[in-house]
Amino acid sequence: MIPPQEASARRREIEEKLKQEEETLSFIRDSLEKSDQLTKNMVSILSSFESRLMKLENSIIPVHKQTENLQRLQENVEKTLSCLDHVISYYHVASDTEKIIREGPTGRLEEYLESMAKIQKAVEYFQDNSPDSPELNKVKLLFERGKESLESEFRSLMTRHSKVVSPVLILDLISGDDELEVQEDVTLEHLPESVLQDVVRISRWLVEYGRNQDFMNVYYQIRSSQLDRSIKGLKEHFRKNSSSSGVPYSPAIPNKRKDTPTKKPVKRPGTIRKAQNLLKQYSQHGLDGKKGGSNLIPLEGHEHDFRVKHLSEALNDKHGPLAGRDDMLDVETDAYIHCVSAFVKLAQSEYHLLMDIIPEHHQKKTFDSLIQDALDGLMLEGENIVSAARKAIIRHDFSTVLTVFPILRHLKQTKPEFDQVLQGTAASTKNKLPGLITSMETIGAKALEDFADNIKNDPDKEYNMPKDGTVHELTSNAILFLQQLLDFQETAGAMLASQETSSSATSYSSEFSKRLLSTYICKVLGNLQLNLLSKSKVYEDPALSAIFLHNNYNYILKSLEKSELIQLVAVTQKTAERSYREHIEQQIQTYQRSWLKVTDYIAEKSLPIFQPGVKLRDKERQMIKERFKGFNDGLEELCKIQKAWAIPDTEQRDKIRQAQKNIVKDTYGAFLHRYSSVPFTKNPEKYIKYRVEQVGDMIDRLFDTSA
């Protein structure tokens, strides 16, 4: 049981807490009442604000809509005015641009094209909106007039600024490897840069807006004329400035070296000039085999005069391989070769120019048309060369045919560049060069075969035979012809191969061509040998005939040995050198037999037999006298005759003299030793006219007209 005191204290504590709770509750009630009051006030304010907003909205929205409508109306009015201004501007285009169009685009292309753009827009507007209006016709006429002026300006710019390329610049362009170490690239500026830009703009406008392709015809006609004239100018340059000592070459590029040309002379074809140079060497150096660097054997004395005479005649003889040659023909050959190279370079340059001016899908066709005149000119000239060669073959003028060789070699070397330049052109254009090459190969092969036949069938003309038995002009001409082929081994071999019908010839190798050329050279040499044998029969004296064959065989052998001909011959005939040496030795032996009629008089086998100390009978004395007289007369006769004969090769001449001298001196010495002390006559000086040494001296003067 709780004590009363604690219960009283507990009660008081509870009452205090209750009182506090009541106070808190009273505070909460007051707060709620205030909050309710505030809420009512806020609701009242918000209701009032909402009412006012509704009134404001009802007032503002109509005003906003009205303002928006007004703004839209204003924009429409502005657009309408702008459209009206734009439309009205089309009606003023003609009057605004007429003066500019009438004055033309010269000097103000940019402004002119802007005016043309305005006119074009006006045309489009009237065509779409007012096709029946007179304004359409007016702007149309103005547009056509402006287009014609642009076409005229295009033609004028191309005509005024397209210049023929100078021959000197072309030679710089094609000089290639003949440049010095320091050399600037040569470029062609067909049109000044500013003019080129104007031409490009006009061409693009005519294609895009003018719907006109006539300007392309104008372009190719003008450029075609310039290309053709440039090549013809180069050819004329050769004709005017070439000389026998060389051809025109490109001088130094300005501001390089003023005292020394930067270009070496353009190399000659090396065919016809060689024979003329050989003749010049013969005249200047006496054919000593040193200074001239000739591939021919040394010739001396009257043989020198004879060879110069023969070569001089050969240059003009209608039957010789050098017939009809002169400097002008060399110039024509050089000119044609350089014109071919010039065409390739200029055509390449023309195509680069054309790419900027002509639309891409018209470039190949325009280029094809542009190059036709120049290309046809080259091909026609090439066919003329073939035609001239064909006529020359008929009259056995093989020197003219030699023109084909350097030209054909150059055409074949240039063909890859030709093919590249002509890419995309018509098949007829591409086939022109191969056709010319085929024609030249055919005529060249025919010339080679006809030359071989001509060597074989050259008639035996007594008046044409060298009286001193020296080298016949047929031999020298044949060797010169073959030596000149050395410069064109591949070309000549290809000519012969092109005529082969065997399947291997369709893709012949260089080795195959070399064998054909070797076979051909052996054929010519064989024909020459047969002809020489026939000609040698013209001589009544077998000894002179032997000397003639000896000289010709020796000349052929030495010529073969001193050039690459011997290597070519050896490809198919390895024993040729030995065979010629045998022929030469055989002719020497034949010649030596001519002395038998001299030595037989004093030969020991035919000498009379007598006893020493026994007086000679009259018959024996007479026999000894006849032997001395026969020897003396024979010796004098042979020396007189053979002194006028010629053996131009010093080594062979000394060899033959020495061999004959030994035979005669030994025989005469033995005879003289036996009979010089025999009293066969009262006047021994009448019969013993020569000492042994004198006989040797007389033989040493054989084959020497100067002695």
Side-chain angles (χ1 to χ4, degrees), residues 250-512:
S250 167
I253 289 181
N255 300 325
K256 294 287 281 186
R257 296 181 183 175
K258 296 184 179 180
D259 57 338
T260 307
T262 61
K263 301 285 184 186
K264 298 178 181 178
V266 181
K267 293 181 179 178
R268 304 304 302 265
T271 304
I272 312 309
R273 184 69 62 189
K274 180 183 290 184
Q276 295 169 336
N277 286 342
L278 286 174
L279 177 59
K280 185 177 180 182
Q281 292 166 10
Y282 297 155
S283 302
Q284 291 178 347
H285 305 306
L287 290 168
D288 57 9
K290 296 178 181 179
K291 289 186 178 180
S294 168
N295 288 332
L296 305 178
I297 60 174
L299 304 174
E300 297 179 358
H302 56 283
E303 168 62 5
H304 166 258
D305 299 330
F306 181 82
R307 289 294 297 118
V308 171
K309 173 178 176 292
H310 273 244
L311 284 173
S312 299
E313 293 173 351
L315 291 172
N316 299 295
D317 180 24
K318 66 179 181 179
H319 297 296
L322 304 178
R325 296 306 302 178
D326 55 18
D327 287 342
M328 183 52 66
L329 191 54
D330 269 344
V331 170
E332 294 294 333
T333 302
D334 291 333
Y336 186 74
I337 287 174
H338 285 81
C339 284
V340 169
S341 296
F343 172 81
V344 173
K345 295 296 184 183
L346 292 176
Q348 289 173 339
S349 182
E350 287 292 344
Y351 190 75
H352 288 308
L353 177 65
L354 175 144
M355 289 173 64
D356 293 329
I357 298 173
I358 304 299
E360 184 176 358
H361 53 288
H362 291 286
Q363 289 174 0
K364 293 295 184 182
K365 182 179 179 181
T366 304
F367 179 70
D368 198 343
S369 300
L370 188 155
I371 62 174
Q372 284 304 312
D373 286 349
L375 182 58
D376 286 344
L378 286 176
M379 295 302 107
L380 177 61
E381 191 171 348
E383 290 298 337
N384 289 339
I385 292 170
V386 172
S387 178
R390 189 176 292 111
K391 294 176 182 177
I393 292 173
I394 295 174
R395 64 178 185 269
H396 302 300
D397 175 11
F398 297 101
S399 62
T400 301
V401 183
L402 288 174
T403 306
V404 172
F405 285 75
I407 293 175
L408 176 58
R409 180 176 66 180
H410 187 71
L411 289 179
K412 294 178 80 170
Q413 289 173 344
T414 313
K415 187 176 181 297
E417 290 183 85
F418 247 97
D419 293 341
Q420 184 178 5
V421 169
L422 300 183
Q423 265 186 335
T425 57
S428 58
T429 302
K430 294 178 181 177
N431 293 334
K432 288 180 179 179
L433 181 64
L436 178 59
I437 289 175
T438 300
S439 297
M440 286 193 172
E441 283 189 331
T442 302
I443 200 65
K446 178 170 175 54
L448 291 175
E449 292 302 320
D450 281 24
F451 177 78
D453 293 340
N454 189 64
I455 292 295
K456 180 179 180 181
N457 301 319
D458 185 70
D460 298 326
K461 297 179 181 178
E462 186 173 350
Y463 68 85
N464 201 33
M465 294 293 291
K467 295 180 180 180
D468 56 0
T470 189
V471 179
H472 195 279
E473 66 173 318
L474 180 69
T475 303
S476 60
N477 288 340
I479 294 299
L480 281 173
F481 185 88
L482 294 179
Q483 285 178 332
Q484 290 166 43
L485 290 184
L486 288 175
D487 289 333
F488 307 99
Q489 294 183 41
E490 293 184 7
T491 303
M495 284 178 175
L496 297 170
S498 68
Q499 306 306 304
E500 290 292 309
T501 56
S502 62
S503 58
S504 62
T506 57
S507 57
Y508 53 85
S509 63
S510 59
E511 185 62 30
F512 177 73

Side-chain angles (χ1 to χ4, degrees), residues 574-592:
K574 299 187 181 302
T575 61
E577 186 175 356
R578 184 180 67 188
S579 177
Y580 273 111
R581 294 192 186 282
E582 290 174 355
H583 287 319
I584 292 169
E585 190 59 36
Q586 181 182 353
Q587 298 309 318
I588 292 175
Q589 293 174 8
T590 301
Y591 161 75
Q592 288 176 340

